[in-house]
PDB file of all heavy atoms in Angstrom:
ATOM      1  N   ALA A 124     -27.074  20.133 -13.370  1.00 96.00           N
ATOM      2  CA  ALA A 124     -28.400  19.856 -13.835  1.00 96.00           C
ATOM      3  C   ALA A 124     -29.424  20.827 -13.252  1.00 96.00           C
ATOM      4  O   ALA A 124     -29.306  21.165 -12.052  1.00 96.00           O
ATOM      5  CB  ALA A 124     -28.768  18.392 -13.489  1.00 96.00           C
ATOM      6  N   PHE A 125     -30.324  21.275 -14.052  1.00 97.00           N
ATOM      7  CA  PHE A 125     -31.366  22.232 -13.666  1.00 97.00           C
ATOM      8  C   PHE A 125     -30.825  23.507 -13.013  1.00 97.00           C
ATOM      9  O   PHE A 125     -31.389  24.055 -12.095  1.00 97.00           O
ATOM     10  CB  PHE A 125     -32.379  21.539 -12.709  1.00 97.00           C
ATOM     11  CG  PHE A 125     -33.036  20.409 -13.379  1.00 97.00           C
ATOM     12  CD1 PHE A 125     -32.952  19.124 -12.809  1.00 97.00           C
ATOM     13  CD2 PHE A 125     -33.731  20.524 -14.537  1.00 97.00           C
ATOM     14  CE1 PHE A 125     -33.571  18.054 -13.406  1.00 97.00           C
ATOM     15  CE2 PHE A 125     -34.401  19.460 -15.159  1.00 97.00           C
ATOM     16  CZ  PHE A 125     -34.321  18.152 -14.582  1.00 97.00           C
ATOM     17  N   ARG A 126     -29.695  23.919 -13.450  1.00 96.00           N
ATOM     18  CA  ARG A 126     -29.032  25.125 -12.878  1.00 96.00           C
ATOM     19  C   ARG A 126     -29.958  26.304 -12.971  1.00 96.00           C
ATOM     20  O   ARG A 126     -30.022  27.176 -12.027  1.00 96.00           O
ATOM     21  CB  ARG A 126     -27.763  25.409 -13.643  1.00 96.00           C
ATOM     22  CG  ARG A 126     -27.038  26.634 -13.192  1.00 96.00           C
ATOM     23  CD  ARG A 126     -25.718  26.857 -13.880  1.00 96.00           C
ATOM     24  NE  ARG A 126     -25.197  28.105 -13.478  1.00 96.00           N
ATOM     25  CZ  ARG A 126     -24.121  28.624 -13.977  1.00 96.00           C
ATOM     26  NH1 ARG A 126     -23.487  27.955 -14.932  1.00 96.00           N
ATOM     27  NH2 ARG A 126     -23.612  29.779 -13.604  1.00 96.00           N
ATOM     28  N   ASN A 127     -30.729  26.440 -14.048  1.00 96.00           N
ATOM     29  CA  ASN A 127     -31.672  27.534 -14.153  1.00 96.00           C
ATOM     30  C   ASN A 127     -33.064  27.184 -13.839  1.00 96.00           C
ATOM     31  O   ASN A 127     -33.991  27.912 -14.100  1.00 96.00           O
ATOM     32  CB  ASN A 127     -31.554  28.077 -15.618  1.00 96.00           C
ATOM     33  CG  ASN A 127     -30.168  28.548 -15.963  1.00 96.00           C
ATOM     34  OD1 ASN A 127     -29.515  29.273 -15.131  1.00 96.00           O
ATOM     35  ND2 ASN A 127     -29.676  28.210 -17.118  1.00 96.00           N
ATOM     36  N   GLY A 128     -33.278  26.046 -13.132  1.00 96.00           N
ATOM     37  CA  GLY A 128     -34.591  25.597 -12.787  1.00 96.00           C
ATOM     38  C   GLY A 128     -35.420  25.200 -13.949  1.00 96.00           C
ATOM     39  O   GLY A 128     -34.855  24.867 -15.072  1.00 96.00           O
ATOM     40  N   LEU A 129     -36.727  25.235 -13.808  1.00 95.00           N
ATOM     41  CA  LEU A 129     -37.658  24.825 -14.849  1.00 95.00           C
ATOM     42  C   LEU A 129     -38.680  25.883 -14.956  1.00 95.00           C
ATOM     43  O   LEU A 129     -39.316  26.284 -14.009  1.00 95.00           O
ATOM     44  CB  LEU A 129     -38.311  23.484 -14.502  1.00 95.00           C
ATOM     45  CG  LEU A 129     -37.593  22.200 -14.831  1.00 95.00           C
ATOM     46  CD1 LEU A 129     -38.380  21.053 -14.378  1.00 95.00           C
ATOM     47  CD2 LEU A 129     -37.337  22.065 -16.309  1.00 95.00           C
ATOM     48  N   ARG A 130     -38.914  26.337 -16.212  1.00 95.00           N
ATOM     49  CA  ARG A 130     -39.934  27.316 -16.498  1.00 95.00           C
ATOM     50  C   ARG A 130     -39.889  28.491 -15.587  1.00 95.00           C
ATOM     51  O   ARG A 130     -40.923  28.928 -14.981  1.00 95.00           O
ATOM     52  CB  ARG A 130     -41.361  26.669 -16.420  1.00 95.00           C
ATOM     53  CG  ARG A 130     -41.498  25.583 -17.477  1.00 95.00           C
ATOM     54  CD  ARG A 130     -42.935  25.001 -17.468  1.00 95.00           C
ATOM     55  NE  ARG A 130     -42.940  23.656 -18.057  1.00 95.00           N
ATOM     56  CZ  ARG A 130     -42.887  22.529 -17.362  1.00 95.00           C
ATOM     57  NH1 ARG A 130     -42.856  22.584 -16.057  1.00 95.00           N
ATOM     58  NH2 ARG A 130     -42.862  21.410 -18.015  1.00 95.00           N
ATOM     59  N   GLY A 131     -38.664  28.965 -15.316  1.00 92.00           N
ATOM     60  CA  GLY A 131     -38.577  30.195 -14.471  1.00 92.00           C
ATOM     61  C   GLY A 131     -38.606  29.952 -13.001  1.00 92.00           C
ATOM     62  O   GLY A 131     -38.614  30.949 -12.218  1.00 92.00           O
ATOM     63  N   HIS A 132     -38.723  28.717 -12.549  1.00 97.00           N
ATOM     64  CA  HIS A 132     -38.727  28.444 -11.083  1.00 97.00           C
ATOM     65  C   HIS A 132     -37.628  27.519 -10.722  1.00 97.00           C
ATOM     66  O   HIS A 132     -37.212  26.670 -11.482  1.00 97.00           O
ATOM     67  CB  HIS A 132     -40.151  27.805 -10.734  1.00 97.00           C
ATOM     68  CG  HIS A 132     -41.297  28.659 -11.041  1.00 97.00           C
ATOM     69  ND1 HIS A 132     -41.588  29.792 -10.287  1.00 97.00           N
ATOM     70  CD2 HIS A 132     -42.172  28.643 -12.002  1.00 97.00           C
ATOM     71  CE1 HIS A 132     -42.701  30.367 -10.803  1.00 97.00           C
ATOM     72  NE2 HIS A 132     -43.068  29.634 -11.887  1.00 97.00           N
ATOM     73  N   GLY A 133     -37.218  27.688  -9.473  1.00 97.00           N
ATOM     74  CA  GLY A 133     -36.158  26.845  -8.910  1.00 97.00           C
ATOM     75  C   GLY A 133     -34.841  27.184  -9.493  1.00 97.00           C
ATOM     76  O   GLY A 133     -34.530  28.277 -10.026  1.00 97.00           O
ATOM     77  N   GLY A 134     -33.851  26.249  -9.395  1.00 97.00           N
ATOM     78  CA  GLY A 134     -32.542  26.521  -9.915  1.00 97.00           C
ATOM     79  C   GLY A 134     -31.625  27.120  -8.879  1.00 97.00           C
ATOM     80  O   GLY A 134     -32.043  27.476  -7.781  1.00 97.00           O
ATOM     81  N   MET A 135     -30.379  27.257  -9.276  1.00 97.00           N
ATOM     82  CA  MET A 135     -29.379  27.879  -8.432  1.00 97.00           C
ATOM     83  C   MET A 135     -29.540  29.380  -8.250  1.00 97.00           C
ATOM     84  O   MET A 135     -30.034  29.976  -9.197  1.00 97.00           O
ATOM     85  CB  MET A 135     -27.965  27.530  -8.967  1.00 97.00           C
ATOM     86  CG  MET A 135     -27.529  26.101  -8.838  1.00 97.00           C
ATOM     87  SD  MET A 135     -27.288  25.718  -7.121  1.00 97.00           S
ATOM     88  CE  MET A 135     -26.830  23.978  -7.232  1.00 97.00           C
ATOM     89  N   PRO A 136     -29.140  29.986  -7.127  1.00 97.00           N
ATOM     90  CA  PRO A 136     -29.177  31.417  -7.013  1.00 97.00           C
ATOM     91  C   PRO A 136     -28.435  32.077  -8.183  1.00 97.00           C
ATOM     92  O   PRO A 136     -27.453  31.472  -8.724  1.00 97.00           O
ATOM     93  CB  PRO A 136     -28.436  31.652  -5.662  1.00 97.00           C
ATOM     94  CG  PRO A 136     -28.472  30.358  -4.997  1.00 97.00           C
ATOM     95  CD  PRO A 136     -28.564  29.273  -5.947  1.00 97.00           C
ATOM     96  N   ALA A 137     -28.701  33.295  -8.436  1.00 95.00           N
ATOM     97  CA  ALA A 137     -28.128  34.039  -9.566  1.00 95.00           C
ATOM     98  C   ALA A 137     -26.601  34.162  -9.431  1.00 95.00           C
ATOM     99  O   ALA A 137     -25.829  34.189 -10.387  1.00 95.00           O
ATOM    100  CB  ALA A 137     -28.733  35.400  -9.644  1.00 95.00           C
ATOM    101  N   ASP A 138     -26.094  34.198  -8.158  1.00 97.00           N
ATOM    102  CA  ASP A 138     -24.642  34.394  -7.988  1.00 97.00           C
ATOM    103  C   ASP A 138     -23.893  33.040  -7.956  1.00 97.00           C
ATOM    104  O   ASP A 138     -22.730  33.008  -7.665  1.00 97.00           O
ATOM    105  CB  ASP A 138     -24.402  35.198  -6.690  1.00 97.00           C
ATOM    106  CG  ASP A 138     -24.844  34.437  -5.402  1.00 97.00           C
ATOM    107  OD1 ASP A 138     -25.469  33.329  -5.549  1.00 97.00           O
ATOM    108  OD2 ASP A 138     -24.611  34.977  -4.340  1.00 97.00           O
ATOM    109  N   PHE A 139     -24.564  31.929  -8.298  1.00 97.00           N
ATOM    110  CA  PHE A 139     -23.902  30.657  -8.287  1.00 97.00           C
ATOM    111  C   PHE A 139     -22.778  30.664  -9.441  1.00 97.00           C
ATOM    112  O   PHE A 139     -23.051  31.055 -10.541  1.00 97.00           O
ATOM    113  CB  PHE A 139     -24.847  29.490  -8.573  1.00 97.00           C
ATOM    114  CG  PHE A 139     -24.145  28.162  -8.705  1.00 97.00           C
ATOM    115  CD1 PHE A 139     -23.678  27.463  -7.572  1.00 97.00           C
ATOM    116  CD2 PHE A 139     -23.963  27.569  -9.951  1.00 97.00           C
ATOM    117  CE1 PHE A 139     -23.080  26.232  -7.711  1.00 97.00           C
ATOM    118  CE2 PHE A 139     -23.314  26.375 -10.106  1.00 97.00           C
ATOM    119  CZ  PHE A 139     -22.845  25.718  -8.971  1.00 97.00           C
ATOM    120  N   ASP A 140     -21.605  30.215  -9.081  1.00 97.00           N
ATOM    121  CA  ASP A 140     -20.474  30.289 -10.008  1.00 97.00           C
ATOM    122  C   ASP A 140     -19.821  28.949 -10.126  1.00 97.00           C
ATOM    123  O   ASP A 140     -19.209  28.486  -9.134  1.00 97.00           O
ATOM    124  CB  ASP A 140     -19.487  31.393  -9.454  1.00 97.00           C
ATOM    125  CG  ASP A 140     -18.299  31.562 -10.364  1.00 97.00           C
ATOM    126  OD1 ASP A 140     -18.157  30.898 -11.487  1.00 97.00           O
ATOM    127  OD2 ASP A 140     -17.380  32.345  -9.961  1.00 97.00           O
ATOM    128  N   VAL A 141     -19.927  28.292 -11.279  1.00 97.00           N
ATOM    129  CA  VAL A 141     -19.332  26.986 -11.441  1.00 97.00           C
ATOM    130  C   VAL A 141     -17.779  26.933 -11.133  1.00 97.00           C
ATOM    131  O   VAL A 141     -17.246  25.990 -10.621  1.00 97.00           O
ATOM    132  CB  VAL A 141     -19.497  26.321 -12.866  1.00 97.00           C
ATOM    133  CG1 VAL A 141     -20.939  25.778 -12.983  1.00 97.00           C
ATOM    134  CG2 VAL A 141     -19.147  27.279 -13.959  1.00 97.00           C
TER     135      VAL A 141
END
Side-chain angles (χ1 to χ4, degrees):
F125 301 122
R126 178 176 173 184
N127 300 317
L129 273 180
R130 298 184 200 95
H132 298 285
M135 287 292 179
D138 62 357
F139 176 77
D140 180 2
V141 282

